[in-house]
Amino acid sequence: MISGSDAFPLSSDSVVRMVPPWPAKDTSGARKRHERRPPFATLPPGRSRGHGVRRLIRYTLLAVAVLLAVVLALWTWSRLQPLSAAQREAVALLQPLPEPTGRNAFDALWLLGRDVPVARLRAVADADMARIRAELADSPAAMPSVPGDAVAGERDLRPSDADRGMFCRLREDCLQRVQADAGGYARLVGRNRALLDRVAALSGYDFYRGRQPPDIRAPMPDFTLVQFGLTDAAQAYASGDIDGGLSRACAGLDTWRRLGARSDSLVVRMFGAGLSTDGYGALLARMLVQLPDDHPLPPACNAALAPVAGDELSICDAMRGEYALVAATSDTVSDPEVVGTARAMLARLVYDPERSRALMAENMAPACTDDARASLVADRPLRWPQRVQSRWRLECAANLAGCILADIASPAYVDYVSRVQDAGARLELLRGVVSVRGTGDLQAREAALRRFWTTTGNRGRELRFVDEGRAVEVREFYTARGEWWQLPLPRPQPAPAD
């Protein structure tokens, strides 16, 4: 037998080496170092190691340049666009009208708390307006006082803090409060007689036109002093001077119906609507509840209880005054003291005064349109355009700040219209309450008041009788303070005993 080794004799020369198909392990680490090199470590001939970084920077700068070019083109195109026809029409509607005929109440209101003779009111107010203009021009942080040094020598009629706390406020039962402390209120009125006489003298004025500089920092008159007339009327009535109290209440009602409706200020417009209804109107109704049906009303109540006319419900004049203030404020970047500064240059990039005024005019002008007048006469809610527009639209590319300001202010304007419409409905309700005096029992008065309501322009509003028929409420458009406004009804007098 031949063994394996004998059958196949092997020598060292005939041994075949078995080499693995993969490279031998590189124990020096050179291969690993090669694999860890960045991908741009091996570059084509003639290129340096920083070429890729420079190319990345170049492309980035190119992209930024293209973006800036697009932004500049959009900004320029936006700035060159003319105002739309609707914007030009809105601006025209809001231009100021000539001052009405009659007496302007501004000076009397401005100096109401100082004992300035009527003959000097204009001169003293002029000096104070000049002082305010100088203070506003002197510093952008100035907040002028009201009034200033021009009245330093005049007696101060403003009540003490303790007296202020005693005077009635709007939307409270002033008559009940005064009757609960007749002696205390008699002394209060006596201490402040000079001021209250000046408040009553406001009935001799015909309109309100503000004479402050057109600047949002300029102060307004102190209208809290005007409200003190409510306490004066209630105290006269509570003291036994029935006709004097009725006359004061009706005079105050008539005064603030007139001054509010003929005002170029939204503040005064809203104040007049509130004081004539929540103030003097409600006070008059509470007085009548306590009087016999056959007690005649004084002559001052004839004008106070006149039917509400359509023009009395408009806020167009007030909106024109508001627009004038906005327009003057928008010109700040064109002020000679600001032009050329870095602040003005930066402002010009995002704010265009002319276009901002046009945007604001579009928001305000609906108060002065034919549709607004028709809505007021028909006592239907005014469809105020509430366009929530994107700020990415072309007209905002060069006026982003103006677009933002216009969008912020827009929603509030329709509320002003609603509040004035509600004031008109309240006045008609007061007229109806007065008209049913002496009309039988509660059921008969309710029927009479409902018939009266159908003759008014507010007949579409709901009435409801509450407190077992002793009060009546009307539904309101502006509901921030509630959906209903209430007045007490005169109570039928008991039949005389046989």
Side-chain angles (χ1 to χ4, degrees), residues 360-373:
M360 296 298 291
E362 278 191 295
N363 290 338
M364 297 177 176
C368 298
T369 61
D370 292 337
D371 183 57
R373 284 188 284 273

Side-chain angles (χ1 to χ4, degrees), residues 388-406:
V388 181
Q389 301 186 68
S390 170
R391 290 169 189 165
W392 292 100
R393 61 191 189 272
L394 180 61
E395 66 180 339
C396 295
N399 188 33
L400 181 59
C403 289
I404 293 173
L405 291 174

Side-chain angles (χ1 to χ4, degrees), residues 16 60 89 115 180 223 233 241 243-244 341-342 365 444 491:
V16 179
T60 301
E89 181 181 356
D115 193 14
F223 289 103
D241 183 7
D243 288 339
T341 64
R491 297 172 186 173

